[in-house]
Amino acid sequence: MSTILTYDIMQVYKPCSNNNRARIVQLIKEVERLELARAFGMDAYTQMVEEANMEEVPTEMQEILDGGLYEAISFFVYAQYCIESQVADTFTGMVTKNRPDSENVPLGTLKNLQTRNRELASLALEQVRCKIEQRFCTRQTATPNNIVTGK
């Protein structure tokens, strides 16, 4: 499944560990689909993915990407990564990573990071919301209430 954001582009807007590249790529797929389909509808999201992956991206779409969409997706992904990064799926179930030379970050701190990054993502998305709605939404499917800020 193609995505709008790639790991390498995300590193420009919100750098994170290269050690977790595969996990972040998976989160990009999940978060894009959840947040953008919720905000603008699945048809609009599908069109955005198609245009973002064209060999020659249309000028209007490139303006949307550079104008805030890449940034918004990056911060949404990072917000989810904050919560999921300490959890590992094993054959015995979900476990918390525990390294002898490090401490787990308290859940309250992680939730604060998540909330802050979701708020930053929402602000970035608002910068391009009108352009996205004009280009991709055939009916009023997008409202500010569709975006969850984590509060």
Side-chain angles (χ1 to χ4, degrees):
M1 177 177 125
S2 295
T3 58
I4 295 169
L5 185 71
T6 65
Y7 176 85
D8 292 331
I9 293 171
M10 181 178 169
Q11 295 308 301
V12 172
Y13 294 92
K14 189 65 179 175
C16 52
S17 172
N18 195 38
N19 295 340
N20 289 324
R21 184 182 187 120
R23 182 172 229 165
I24 291 167
V25 168
Q26 180 61 37
L27 286 174
I28 290 170
K29 292 175 187 175
E30 294 170 10
V31 168
E32 269 192 17
R33 188 174 176 109
L34 175 68
E35 299 296 343
L36 297 180
R38 179 188 298 156
F40 303 106
M42 192 54 145
D43 290 342
Y45 168 64
T46 302
Q47 287 178 298
M48 285 188 274
V49 171
E50 287 173 7
E51 285 197 15
N53 285 285
M54 288 180 170
E55 199 166 305
E56 194 168 317
V57 177
T59 303
E60 278 185 69
M61 183 60 188
Q62 194 63 56
E63 289 172 3
I64 290 169
L65 294 170
D66 296 336
L69 189 57
Y70 279 149
E71 182 180 9
I73 298 168
S74 296
F75 280 100
F76 278 129
V77 169
Y78 191 77
Q80 191 63 31
Y81 175 73
C82 287
I83 295 299
E84 292 189 21
S85 65
Q86 293 187 0
V87 177
D89 185 12
T90 69
F91 70 95
T92 60
M94 302 298 272
V95 298
T96 301
K97 295 177 183 177
N98 192 3
R99 305 263 190 313
D101 57 341
S102 62
E103 276 182 45
N104 286 337
V105 176
L107 184 58
T109 302
L110 291 174
K111 291 296 283 180
N112 287 341
L113 282 169
Q114 181 189 39
T115 299
R116 180 174 179 264
N117 280 281
R118 289 190 63 77
E119 289 171 352
L120 289 168
S122 293
L123 289 172
L125 192 56
E126 284 305 310
Q127 293 175 351
V128 291
R129 175 175 292 285
C130 288
K131 287 183 181 180
I132 290 172
E133 289 172 351
Q134 288 171 355
R135 185 162 178 84
F136 298 105
C137 298
T138 55
R139 64 190 198 308
Q140 189 59 29
T141 57
T143 64
N145 295 333
N146 288 358
I147 299 176
V148 179
T149 60
K151 290 183 181 180

